[in-house]
Amino acid sequence: REGETMMENYEIQDINDMAADERLPMGVVKWTNTFAEVSRYNEYPAILAYFCLLGQIIKDNVVIPYGFTKEDTRFHVGWVQTARSGKSVLNDFLTQITLKTYQYINSHLGRHEDDPYFTLFDVVDYTDAALIGSVKTVRNEHYGEEGHPTSDEKEVEKQVYGALEGSGIALFDEFESSGIFKKSAHKENVVTYFQKFMNTLTTDGYLIKKKLAHGPELICDCQRSVWATTYVPEHLTDVIATKGVLQRMFLYVRDVPQHVLDDMRRELIRSLGTTKARLKPTNDFAKHMFELFNLTVERYNELEGDKEKIVTFSDGCLDLIELEYSNMVRYLAKVPDKVRKVVSLFETNSLIYIAKLAVLCTIAETPNRKEEERWVVFPRNIRQASWIVRQGYMSLVGWMITSLKVQRTSVAEQINISDYIEAFNTMDKIDGYVNKAELRVYMEQRYHIPQAKFYRVWPKISHRFESKKAGKTILIKIKEEDENESNL
């Protein structure tokens, strides 16, 4: 119970109070502190936003090898948090920086505004056609030698690209409407699409292909990173456990405490009548990202396009990742079985994200490193990445434990558990225990609860009681913390 309470009350550690060997790169800290002024108490999501953007802009130049497999640098984030707690405000600021960053990069690549390479996903219609495209019939005109159209015309089918096509961030500010959380006839394939394009870019497995019933095969080349935010929807635990989409993303779930919401709203009141310009920090962070992009491209060119050698891992890195995995296993061993089974679905991806984030931290540090230390992943980068991943899965555990407590309380209220507790308190006890069979008889006589219902309900309230055997007899008593509550 003590460990469960600690996990339930878990809060993200302040990045300015981190241990020296876990302290994040200077650019990340500056970014996060600035975001904290825009969206209060959302520093951790701001960190995730930094790496989501960075991982996307360098995806064409860096590959992380894993033996026979390879991973790209994209960092997909799912941020689930209480409504009206700063998600949209943070998204707006991230959008401004992202668009400015893409403007710098697209101009550098010689891509004009009408044909940009990096774009921001900006669609709210999540139907198949909107996401992956459709086919339209057009007239294919043939031209003669003098440039005049001939009579030889025919109709051809042409693919119209959907919003997911291409590179950039797919920013879902209303992810609850995506079709992931609720079944919809118009969005039945959305789950598959998300699972496909989040596959590694190092094989063709990320391409979204759809054969039309009357027409050609659609191919959507989506190389985007996902940044998805939503309030906490109903049945979230079931969706996490059954939908592979959320298991592939870096999931951060937070039910914001009421005192934090109060502080957010008081801060909003105090800001009335004041003005803070976003233009300068937007430009500064866009230039910072553009610098990291250029440095990575230069490194890529120096190595003649060998993406796997952009960064190297120094001694001790693999041991630290294995240590972090052992710590994760020990931590999850302390949580309830239902929570552990769900969170364990994220274990493999957590390890992959440690490697990705360590590489991204290394690149983020590059401008401030000595020449001989550039492009080397050091143990401190593994610690930085491990800290980020650790906050994520610990927060998920904390949210799930709180959620399960609420569910148990709700069930207890529905079956009127107070009757069981009152009956227990009324009965004669031996060393604090009563005979469970006698409690059943008492419940039938006093509260008219038949035997079948008693045993059907018992599994739903048994967490409130301790039990032990005396021969073939089962003795029960109220758990100490529940007994204290019932005596208030």
Side-chain angles (χ1 to χ4, degrees):
R1 289 287 304 175
E2 181 181 355
E4 185 173 313
T5 302
M6 289 174 62
M7 296 168 195
E8 176 188 343
N9 297 329
Y10 180 77
E11 285 290 333
I12 296 294
Q13 182 182 356
D14 190 331
I15 65 166
N16 297 302
D17 295 332
M18 292 169 59
D21 60 352
E22 291 181 334
R23 195 165 297 144
L24 297 176
M26 188 185 308
V28 182
V29 174
K30 184 178 179 181
W31 165 293
T32 305
N33 289 335
T34 303
F35 266 73
E37 296 181 26
V38 176
S39 182
R40 294 282 293 170
Y41 300 101
N42 286 318
E43 289 87 345
Y44 182 72
I47 295 171
L48 304 183
Y50 179 97
F51 291 109
C52 184
L53 177 54
L54 177 58
Q56 171 61 207
I57 64 176
I58 66 171
K59 65 175 175 61
D60 296 323
N61 305 107
V62 183
V63 161
I64 305 170
Y66 270 92
F68 288 109
T69 62
K70 302 172 185 177
E71 289 290 335
D72 59 70
T73 59
R74 293 178 303 163
F75 184 58
H76 307 291
V77 179
W79 177 18
V80 182
Q81 184 168 294
T82 309
R84 309 297 297 169
S85 59
K87 297 187 299 297
S88 293
V89 177
L90 188 149
N91 288 349
D92 288 343
F93 193 35
L94 174 60
T95 296
Q96 290 177 338
I97 296 171
T98 299
L99 290 174
K100 193 64 178 179
T101 301
Y102 291 169
Q103 182 181 337
Y104 285 136
I105 296 176
N106 289 329
S107 177
H108 177 76
L109 295 175
R111 303 293 289 263
H112 302 291
E113 291 184 4
D114 58 346
D115 183 32
Y117 182 73
F118 286 106
T119 60
L120 192 69
F121 176 98
D122 59 353
V123 68
V124 294
D125 182 4
Y126 301 144
T127 59
D128 285 9
L131 289 174
I132 68 169
S134 58
V135 171
K136 70 175 181 179
T137 302
V138 297
R139 287 186 175 275
N140 186 24
E141 296 182 342
H142 293 266
Y143 293 84
E145 293 181 358
E146 297 181 359
H148 299 293
T150 66
S151 59
D152 182 17
E153 297 180 4
K154 62 178 181 179
E155 292 184 343
V156 296
E157 293 179 322
K158 182 179 179 181
Q159 179 171 341
V160 179
Y161 294 110
L164 285 178
E165 180 80 20
S167 297
I169 290 180
L171 191 152
F172 295 85
D173 194 16
E174 298 178 355
F175 197 48
E176 66 277 3
S177 304
S178 66
I180 302 298
F181 300 98
K182 294 181 180 179
K183 289 185 178 180
S184 169
H186 300 292
K187 302 173 182 177
E188 57 184 4
N189 296 316
V190 168
V191 172
T192 303
Y193 298 157
F194 275 87
Q195 289 177 322
K196 287 289 289 182
F197 80 73
M198 283 193 282
N199 286 335
T200 177
L201 297 177
T202 59
T203 70
D204 289 341
Y206 76 94
L207 294 172
I208 304 171
K209 301 178 181 180
K210 182 178 182 180
K211 180 66 176 72
L212 301 179
H214 304 286
E217 180 182 56
L218 287 176
I219 298 179
C220 177
D221 185 355
C222 175
Q223 300 186 24
R224 297 184 181 275
S225 301
V226 178
W227 176 265
T229 62
T230 177
Y231 56 80
V232 182
E234 291 184 29
H235 313 301
L236 176 59
T237 301
D238 293 335
V239 176
I240 292 173
T242 59
K243 299 290 180 67
V245 171
L246 298 183
Q247 295 168 19
R248 291 171 183 243
M249 301 169 73
F250 189 93
L251 188 63
Y252 174 52
V253 185
R254 184 188 183 203
D255 189 7
V256 182
Q258 185 59 48
H259 72 275
V260 174
L261 291 173
D262 290 340
D263 287 345
M264 288 179 177
R265 289 157 187 167
R266 292 182 187 281
E267 187 68 26
L268 177 64
I269 294 171
R270 287 191 288 269
S271 67
L272 180 63
T274 65
T275 301
K276 289 186 179 181
R278 290 189 188 179
L279 182 60
K280 186 178 187 308
T282 296
N283 288 334
D284 289 345
F285 291 131
K287 289 177 181 177
H288 169 71
M289 287 291 176
F290 184 47
E291 179 185 16
L292 298 180
F293 169 81
N294 281 328
L295 288 170
T296 306
V297 171
E298 290 174 9
R299 173 72 169 171
Y300 172 84
N301 291 332
E302 288 172 5
L303 296 174
E304 299 179 343
D306 193 341
K307 301 180 183 180
E308 297 179 32
K309 294 182 179 178
I310 299 297
V311 298
T312 58
F313 290 82
S314 65
D315 293 340
C317 287
L318 304 187
D319 291 338
L320 272 177
I321 295 177
E322 188 165 355
L323 175 62
E324 185 62 28
Y325 175 66
S326 297
N327 291 337
M328 186 190 308
V329 170
R330 281 196 296 271
Y331 177 82
L332 295 180
K334 302 176 183 177
V335 307
D337 287 343
K338 185 173 182 179
V339 176
R340 182 168 62 251
K341 288 177 181 177
V342 173
V343 179
S344 64
L345 297 172
F346 294 83
E347 286 183 359
T348 299
N349 266 5
S350 293
L351 296 176
I352 292 174
Y353 277 129
I354 287 176
K356 284 191 180 188
L357 289 167
V359 169
L360 294 176
C361 283
T362 299
I363 293 173
E365 289 181 351
T366 297
N368 301 311
R369 284 191 180 186
K370 300 176 182 177
E371 186 65 34
E372 64 272 16
E373 293 182 350
R374 288 187 169 190
W375 312 108
V376 180
V377 180
F378 291 111
R380 74 167 177 274
N381 302 124
I382 301 296
R383 293 189 183 96
Q384 292 165 341
S386 297
W387 181 89
I388 297 171
V389 171
R390 194 183 312 131
Q391 310 306 310
Y393 71 73
M394 289 177 74
S395 296
L396 177 58
V397 167
W399 173 80
M400 286 195 65
I401 288 175
T402 301
S403 177
L404 289 176
K405 280 192 66 176
V406 171
Q407 292 175 18
R408 290 199 299 256
T409 301
S410 177
V411 168
E413 290 171 350
Q414 293 173 15
I415 61 178
N416 200 7
I417 193 173
S418 60
D419 290 345
Y420 289 76
I421 294 175
E422 182 180 344
F424 174 88
N425 289 333
T426 304
M427 295 176 65
D428 294 332
K429 303 173 185 63
I430 301 177
D431 296 330
Y433 286 87
V434 303
N435 187 312
K436 181 181 177 182
E438 293 178 0
L439 175 66
R440 194 223 28 101
V441 173
Y442 188 88
M443 292 297 295
E444 184 171 13
Q445 294 174 345
R446 176 76 178 270
Y447 298 99
H448 308 292
I449 295 177
Q451 177 176 336
K453 183 177 180 180
F454 178 91
Y455 286 114
R456 187 171 64 251
V457 167
W458 184 256
K460 300 176 182 178
I461 65 171
S462 59
H463 65 279
R464 301 288 295 271
F465 295 84
E466 294 180 9
S467 64
K468 69 177 182 177
K469 278 191 173 183
K472 294 183 179 181
T473 302
I474 298 178
L475 303 177
I476 61 171
K477 74 173 182 177
I478 298 177
K479 288 184 178 178
E480 183 177 346
E481 62 270 21
D482 293 321
E483 186 175 358
N484 292 335
E485 289 178 10
S486 67
N487 290 331
L488 292 178

